[in-house]
Each structure stands twice: as C-alpha cells, then as structure tokens.
Amino acid sequence: MSNVTPGFDQRLMQVIPDLRAYAQSLCHNQALADDIVQDALLSAWSKRASLREIDRIKPWLLSIVRNTFLAHIRKNRSEVEDIDGSFAARLVAPPEQPAAAELSDVKRALAKLPLDEREAIALVCIDKLPYKEAAEVCGCPAGTMKSRVNRARSNLLAILKEEKEACLEQAELTNGILQAPAPARD
C-alpha cells in the first residue's frame, strides 16, 4: 500500500459530515443519503490509490457521492418520488418554532429546483466549496457553476415568495370562511 496517499483515512473521516450533508441535499431522504454516502465511501476506499493530492480529497469524494447518487437515480427511475414533500407533509405535524418552519420552507423550495441548481447551491452555499472546485465536482466550467448558483438563488427566492403569497391567500380565505355568518336555520 505504498502508493496510497498518506493520511487518507484521517482526511476521509473528517469529510464524512460534508458528504452526508451533500447527499441529503441531493436526495432529501436521510436514510437514502446515508446509503449513498456509504456506497461512495466504499468506492472511494477501493480507489484510494488514485488520489494523488490529499488536499483534493473533498472535491474528489463529493464527485464520487454525486456519481453514486446519479447512478441510484438511473437504477431506480420507476420509483415514484415525493419531490415537493407534499405526501410527507401530510404525515407530520408542522414545526412549532419559527426557525424550524423557515428551514422546512427552504428545504421544500430547494426540492423544487432543478437538480443542477440544487447541486450548485449545495456545493457552493452549503458546503462552502469555491466555484472552481464545485465546477470540478459537477464536471462543468467555473462560469457555468457561477451561473447555476445565481439562477438557483433567484429561483429559490421566487419560490419562497410564491409560497408565502399562496399561504397568505389561503389564510385570508380560511379567515373569511371562519368569520362568515352562519346560515339561518328555520
């Protein structure tokens, strides 16, 4: 094992929380995200001798997570996804804390973004990767990554605004129904 990059196992362990967060942002299912990370780690471990620069381990591993996720999607295309969380939302009680509700709103809005935009936001804004490294993970130029992040931010704000307006309209409608006089009984 002399051709294995020194310190690989320690650096690998340090990056696992970032890998889990990235996988979660891609698939919105913690159990599936953990499975994807586990598969990616197994793959990375078997290919560890191919990593030449230990400083490049995070983008290298994120690329493996991304590829593992995409392979999972291709393999399971016939499954029906709850993309916007509408089915799952009916199964749980709404959060009581405003911060938790806001986070839930952002997660739901993120799920509505196209995969390339969701991926860009996750890598640059959540994982704090420089545009160049995020672009390497996705296999695109840095300029494309900047455009995706900018487009994702704009779309995310538009989705959140649209959902807030819809929520206010629903609240007004509900309030009007509750305040309407009851029909007279004969």
Side-chain angles (χ1 to χ4, degrees), residues 141-160:
T144 300
M145 181 56 61
K146 289 178 184 178
S147 296
R148 287 179 184 175
V149 170
N150 187 39
R151 194 169 45 251
R153 286 177 175 153
S154 297
N155 289 341
L156 194 58
L157 288 174
I159 291 168
L160 289 170

Side-chain angles (χ1 to χ4, degrees), residues 19 22-29 32-33 35-37 39-40 61-77 81 83 114-116 118-119:
L19 302 179
Y22 179 52
Q24 173 68 26
S25 72
L26 292 175
C27 59
H28 307 289
N29 176 323
L32 177 58
D35 290 345
I36 287 171
V37 169
D39 291 346
L61 289 168
L62 288 169
S63 294
I64 294 172
V65 167
R66 178 179 187 264
N67 292 337
T68 304
F69 170 70
L70 294 175
H72 174 78
I73 286 177
R74 284 189 293 274
K75 182 179 169 189
N76 298 306
R77 284 193 180 191
E81 289 187 43
I83 300 264
L115 178 60
D116 62 338
R118 198 168 62 227
E119 207 171 36

Side-chain angles (χ1 to χ4, degrees), residues 24-186:
Q24 173 68 26
S25 72
L26 292 175
C27 59
H28 307 289
N29 176 323
Q30 191 61 54
L32 177 58
D34 288 341
D35 290 345
I36 287 171
V37 169
Q38 181 177 354
D39 291 346
L41 289 172
L42 289 170
S43 177
W45 189 261
S46 68
K47 298 173 185 162
R48 66 190 180 275
S50 68
L51 179 66
R52 298 290 175 223
E53 298 176 43
I54 194 71
D55 293 337
R56 308 286 302 141
I57 193 169
K58 185 173 179 178
W60 182 71
L61 289 168
L62 288 169
S63 294
I64 294 172
V65 167
R66 178 179 187 264
N67 292 337
T68 304
F69 170 70
L70 294 175
H72 174 78
I73 286 177
R74 284 189 293 274
K75 182 179 169 189
N76 298 306
R77 284 193 180 191
S78 62
E79 289 184 16
V80 176
E81 289 187 43
D82 185 19
I83 300 264
D84 64 355
S86 59
F87 181 73
R90 292 184 295 215
L91 301 176
V92 297
E96 295 178 19
Q97 298 83 10
E102 290 170 3
L103 180 60
S104 177
D105 292 344
V106 171
K107 284 182 176 180
R108 193 170 42 257
L110 277 169
K112 291 180 179 180
L113 292 176
L115 178 60
D116 62 338
E117 292 179 19
R118 198 168 62 227
E119 207 171 36
I121 284 282
L123 291 170
V124 173
C125 300
I126 298 171
D127 288 335
K128 305 290 187 206
L129 282 183
Y131 286 108
K132 183 179 178 186
E133 288 183 14
E136 287 175 18
V137 169
C138 293
C140 67
T144 300
M145 181 56 61
K146 289 178 184 178
S147 296
R148 287 179 184 175
V149 170
N150 187 39
R151 194 169 45 251
R153 286 177 175 153
S154 297
N155 289 341
L156 194 58
L157 288 174
I159 291 168
L160 289 170
K161 182 179 179 185
E162 184 180 295
E163 287 183 354
K164 182 177 181 181
E165 290 170 357
C167 185
L168 290 174
E169 287 176 14
Q170 183 64 36
E172 288 174 5
L173 179 64
T174 303
N175 196 21
I177 290 171
L178 293 175
Q179 292 180 356
R185 292 189 177 183
D186 296 323

